[in-house]
């Protein structure tokens, strides 16, 4: 049984003071249950403080990026063992990293491996841009990007990798993919995971959606069984919105009609 997950990607927002206040509020107000994982991904500077805030709560921490090397002369970078002191998850290959900082699939693979070596759960982001979709190449592109980002397919086995389908055209635009588009691509990705490794691995890999999710469109996503959760950007910075989204996912897992 794959557990639904909601991940807040705060991006380059919040000072540590603001971040602590947001995390405290989420911890106080989020209705949690054993069936939904909640992960906050604040900026690096807030991670140690928020680590203290979330202690004794079911909420977990993640980082937004990592360097693929464990240590060394890489000025300004942060490695997987440093993150693992405080957090359990790390976002890898977000489209903003790929497009603004030119991260290649090879680098993403190296980062995924570095995350595994430090026992971090990587949240691997893949997704087509508007042009790929308009030209009918979205599915092919996403499958290829998945293969090229994961590296050795055996990595998927027992590592609890999370795959985030985030179409570039839906991120930060207010223009979320339709539920049909999300379901279709989630299923296509799961088929590809089965082809890359085994049907068993595919059945246990969590595949989530990200791109302009909010309290209004979360219901449909939460009701759709093939989709295992959401990666939330701007709505995760709004305390009330994020709490409402957690509640939505939680309610759907409590509802026996979840399908
Ligand atoms: P958004 O961002 O929810 O603001 O579209 C999603 C993401 O970048 O992960």
């Amino acid at each position: 049984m794959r557990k639904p997950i909601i991940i807040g990607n705060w991006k380059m927002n919040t000072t540590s003071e603001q971040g602590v206040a947001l995390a405290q509020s989420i911890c106080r107000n989020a209705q949690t249950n054993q069936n939904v994982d909640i992960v906050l991904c604040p900026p690096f500077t807030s991670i140690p403080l928020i680590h203290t805030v979330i202690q004794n709560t079911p909420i977990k921490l993640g980082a937004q990026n990592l360097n693929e090397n464990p240590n060394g002369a890489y000025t300004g970078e942060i490695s997987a063992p440093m993150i693992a002191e405080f957090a359990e998850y790390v976002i890898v290959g977000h489209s903003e990293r790929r497009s603004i900082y030119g991260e290649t699939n090879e680098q993403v693979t190296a980062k995924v491996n570095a995350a595994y070596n430090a026992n971090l759960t990587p949240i691997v982001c893949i997704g087509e841009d508007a042009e790929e979709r308009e030209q009918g190449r979205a599915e092919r592109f996403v499958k290829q990007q998945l293969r090229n980002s994961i590296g050795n397919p055996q990595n998927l086995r027992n590592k609890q990798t999370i795959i985030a389908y985030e179409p570039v055209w839906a991120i930060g635009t207010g223009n979320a993919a339709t539920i049909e588009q999300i379901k279709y691509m989630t299923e296509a990705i799961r088929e590809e995971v089965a082809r890359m490794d085994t049907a068993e691995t595919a059945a246990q890999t969590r595949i989530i959606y990200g791109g302009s999710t909010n309290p209004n469109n979360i219901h449909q996503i939460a009701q759709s069984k093939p989709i295992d959760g959401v990666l939330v950007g701007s709505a995760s910075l709004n305390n009330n919105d994020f709490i409402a989204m957690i509640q939505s996912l939680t309610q759907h897992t409590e509802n026996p009609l979840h399908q």
Side-chain angles (χ1 to χ4, degrees), residues 9 11 94 96 166 170-173 210-213 231-235:
N9 174 11
K11 309 195 181 184
H94 189 280
E96 287 151 17
E166 295 211 304
I171 297 174
T173 58
S212 298
T213 54
L231 177 51
V232 189
S234 61

